[in-house]
Amino acid sequence: AMTFFDKALETLKSVFGEYHPDLAEMHYDIGVVQLDIGSIEGAMQNFMSALLIRKMVFGNNHHIVSDTLFKVANIHDLKGEHALALKFYQETLRIERISLGDCRIEVAITLRNIGHAHYSIGDLPNCIGAYKELIKILRVNLGDNLIVVASMCNDLYSVCLESGRSEDAQIFYKECR
């Protein structure tokens, strides 16, 4: 598959030049394949190439830029670089709110990863804040009775307990039921 992608990249570059949206899409797709086969550095390189082109073509606040930033953040998370992942997730969130609005599922997913990154670096208060906001968005989009909402309430309950916030934990425990 990589040989095909390499040839496709060269063809796109020769036809469209270095900074075309189709070239960015190809870099992105190659990054996805490389991530799937475990080539994390190759994936990062291709996502960063896609990011550069997408910012040049679409501007810094386009949802396609946030999607690419999200992939970069995921790679930093995979590598255990949670503080760096957090910065990319936060930039993703900023752009998603501008380009998509505050109550979209994409925003909720990014908040979940922000909460996880905060948790991973030991910042439990900010983890709790991200999870609370996530749960509000999930409820708006999915209602109260779905397993994903209950699961996030349970995660928030656990983090509250771990951080010594037992009163908050009890509130979220009741919401999980």
Side-chain angles (χ1 to χ4, degrees):
M2 293 313 299
T3 303
F4 167 77
F5 280 127
D6 291 337
K7 287 181 182 180
L9 265 178
E10 289 308 313
T11 302
L12 284 172
K13 284 180 187 177
S14 68
V15 172
F16 296 120
E18 292 286 324
Y19 302 106
H20 190 274
D22 289 347
L23 188 61
E25 187 67 25
M26 183 61 66
H27 276 294
Y28 186 90
D29 291 345
I30 292 170
V32 170
V33 170
Q34 287 179 315
L35 196 55
D36 285 346
I37 63 172
S39 177
I40 293 173
E41 292 306 320
M44 178 66 90
Q45 183 179 18
N46 276 288
F47 288 136
M48 293 304 287
S49 294
L51 182 61
L52 172 71
I53 296 168
R54 286 175 169 178
K55 282 183 173 185
M56 290 178 73
V57 172
F58 299 108
N60 291 330
N61 293 325
H62 195 278
H63 69 88
I64 202 163
V65 171
S66 68
D67 182 51
T68 312
L69 284 166
F70 188 86
K71 287 292 192 185
V72 171
N74 284 157
I75 290 175
H76 285 299
D77 234 352
L78 284 172
K79 293 169 62 176
E81 299 168 345
H82 304 295
L84 193 52
L86 180 59
K87 289 179 183 182
F88 280 96
Y89 286 134
Q90 289 169 330
E91 180 64 7
T92 300
L93 181 63
R94 184 192 70 74
I95 296 169
E96 286 174 343
R97 286 186 164 149
I98 290 169
S99 63
L100 302 174
D102 288 328
C103 284
R104 293 283 296 263
I105 291 297
E106 293 89 342
V107 171
I109 292 167
T110 301
L111 283 166
R112 168 68 174 98
N113 288 15
I114 286 172
H116 173 75
H118 280 298
Y119 182 82
S120 296
I121 62 175
D123 183 1
L124 298 183
N126 281 319
C127 172
I128 291 169
Y131 281 0
K132 282 182 178 180
E133 191 174 352
L134 158 65
I135 290 168
K136 286 179 188 175
I137 294 170
L138 290 176
R139 285 189 167 133
V140 166
N141 285 280
L142 304 174
D144 282 331
N145 295 323
L146 289 174
I147 190 82
V148 68
V149 175
S151 174
M152 288 311 307
C153 285
N154 188 54
D155 287 353
L156 185 52
Y157 162 77
S158 298
V159 174
C160 286
L161 273 183
E162 189 174 325
S163 66
R165 296 171 66 171
S166 59
E167 289 177 17
D168 287 339
Q170 289 176 3
I171 292 168
F172 290 108
Y173 177 76
K174 289 176 185 174
E175 291 183 20
C176 292
R177 298 166 48 132

